[in-house]
Each structure stands twice: as C-alpha cells, then as structure tokens.
Amino acid sequence: MMSSNTPIFTDTIPGAAHWSMVVPKGHVLQAKDLQGGANLSMLFYNPTNLLERYNAPDTLKCQHTFKLTAGHCLYSDMGRVFCSIVRDDTQWIDSVCGVANKQKVTEKWGERDYQKDRNLWKQNGYDALLVEVAKYGLGQRDLAANLNLFSRVKTDEFGNLYYVEDHSKAGDCIELRFEMDTLVVLTTCPHPMNPAEEYPFKPVEIAMFEAEPVSEGDACVTSREENGRGFENNRRYHMHSACCHE
C-alpha cells in the first residue's frame, strides 16, 4: 500500500507512554509491535474542527461488523473516513473495551508512583489520553470510545468477554492510510483486560510513509457500499475546503 519503503520518520513509543501528531492526508501510519503483546489505544480528531472525532458505533454499524481489520474504514461522527486499515497482521483490532483508569490499574498492578518509579510508573490509559488531548484544549468530555490495536477480546458461550493472550506477535504491523488530515492521539498503556501478573511495559514503533493513490478497486472503498459513500463525503469535504481557501 505504500509508495516507498523509505519512511518519512520513525519513532519508538515506550510502554505506558502517550503521544500525538497530525497525520496528513495521503500518508500511511505504521505501528509495529516490537516485543509481542503490545496494546496501542488510539483516538482521532479533525485538527481544523476538533468537534469532529472518531465514532466507534458508526464505524462498526455501517460496515456490519464487530471485527475491525484490513479492508475496514474508521469513520468520524460526520460520516467521513479518517483512515483506512490497509494492513493488519493480527487480523483483529479491539474496538469495544476502552482503556483502564487509575482505579483499575491500582487494583490489578498496585499504586503508581512517579517519584519512586520514574518512567516505570504504572500509568493508565484514561489519564494518558487525557493528558495528551489537553495539549489541544480538549478534556474529559472529548474522550470517545477508542481503538486498541494489537489487542483482541472474544466472547464465551454465555456472552462474556475475555482477553485473548498472545494475540499479537513480535514484528506484527498494522497500517492506517489517512484519507483526511487527522490528529492522532495514542497511548501504549496496557489493555484494561490484560491478565498479566506484572504491569506490561510494551513499546510500539511508529513510522510514517507516503501512500500510493487510492485506486478505483481499492479494497477499503469497495468492501462495503457504505464505504463508497464515506469516500464521497471526503471528496466533497476536500472540494469545499479547497474552494474556501482560494
């Protein structure tokens, strides 16, 4: 899916960290699980209108799926496509479990203490995302349902959710091709259902590439009729934006 194997930039996000950047339209953001068992919680916003953000219910509903993987699109609450999943070595991305808060982490792995533990303190996903969105003037009410890349949950015969261990292996990659300029906010804090006895510090490598042009038969566009309409909404949005800036 990438036009070149040469990345524009790379960075490694340590475990229990948070990060954000604006990814321009026409670029691929690649996330790589370096050790296996990583979790990468992500949220998306329109950087020119922060009221527009990722909408998990619409993303699942319009594509008639509970399972997100390659071939699916990630929608905003304005019916536009933030990005398309063009590669998913894990074949399943959790979209329903959210992130752990301070209480959850404390109950499972003990109190966090930055003064004592420094960068090995037990950060939780909720506070990590909250700190990151605050850089853009956003707060608690702006934290929508997020994605958890590299993580999977399943149901048993009674409908109970449980965490799938060893879902992601070292070297597994997930690639998102961005169809509009997007503010990406993320954290590498552990999944809220991770049963590990010790707090897992799992790093993720991030790389950005230029994307190849979207072809007429692109799998993400054609996988659902609704996705074609989503890409049309993007086309109209970009056309309107171009006219307004002339």
Side-chain angles (χ1 to χ4, degrees), residues 2-152:
M2 296 172 292
S3 61
S4 169
N5 290 326
T6 304
I8 297 171
F9 88 95
T10 61
D11 197 5
T12 298
I13 314 300
H18 49 83
W19 179 81
S20 61
M21 72 171 297
V22 174
V23 180
K25 175 182 181 293
H27 289 75
V28 168
L29 188 66
Q30 180 192 82
K32 180 185 290 186
D33 184 349
L34 294 178
Q35 298 178 0
N39 181 69
L40 186 66
S41 302
M42 304 185 80
L43 286 172
F44 310 99
Y45 301 84
N46 182 341
T48 61
N49 176 15
L50 293 171
L51 292 175
E52 181 177 6
R53 66 278 310 268
Y54 173 64
N55 189 304
D58 284 356
T59 294
L60 299 177
K61 178 178 63 178
C62 78
Q63 295 174 100
H64 305 265
T65 186
F66 177 77
K67 169 187 177 179
L68 288 178
T69 187
H72 290 129
C73 299
L74 305 180
Y75 279 83
S76 82
D77 50 14
M78 299 294 288
R80 292 187 273 265
V81 177
F82 274 129
C83 56
S84 305
I85 306 172
V86 295
R87 175 181 175 182
D88 176 17
D89 293 347
T90 71
Q91 301 182 41
W92 191 297
I93 296 170
D94 170 39
S95 60
V96 297
C97 288
V99 290
N101 58 20
K102 180 180 179 180
Q103 179 181 352
K104 184 87 171 178
V105 168
T106 299
E107 291 174 352
K108 184 172 289 189
W109 292 300
E111 292 281 352
R112 64 179 187 176
D113 187 343
Y114 180 74
Q115 284 69 30
K116 182 182 70 174
D117 299 322
R118 297 300 181 184
N119 289 336
L120 293 179
W121 74 323
K122 303 178 183 73
Q123 177 63 292
N124 65 84
Y126 181 81
D127 286 346
L129 290 176
L130 197 59
V131 168
E132 200 61 34
V133 300
K135 298 175 182 178
Y136 306 92
L138 301 175
Q140 287 181 317
R141 68 177 186 176
D142 302 299
L143 295 184
N146 61 278
L147 293 177
N148 288 310
L149 278 65
F150 304 115
S151 294
R152 180 183 180 183

Side-chain angles (χ1 to χ4, degrees), residues 159-171:
N160 300 307
L161 288 174
Y162 67 92
Y163 181 82
V164 178
E165 297 188 66
D166 302 320
H167 173 59
S168 178
K169 306 296 189 293

Side-chain angles (χ1 to χ4, degrees), residues 188-241:
T188 51
C189 290
H191 189 277
M193 295 180 67
N194 191 322
E197 293 185 6
E198 298 292 331
Y199 184 101
F201 291 93
K202 298 289 185 174
V204 173
E205 182 183 87
I206 297 293
M208 193 190 321
F209 303 81
E210 289 187 16
E212 295 178 354
V214 179
S215 65
E216 183 176 342
D218 184 89
C220 295
V221 179
T222 61
S223 60
R224 296 296 312 181
E225 182 180 344
E226 291 84 350
N227 287 353
R229 293 198 290 268
F231 274 84
E232 174 61 17
N233 288 341
N234 279 45
R235 187 189 71 81
R236 297 185 183 192
Y237 172 72
H238 290 124
M239 181 178 65
H240 176 74
S241 297

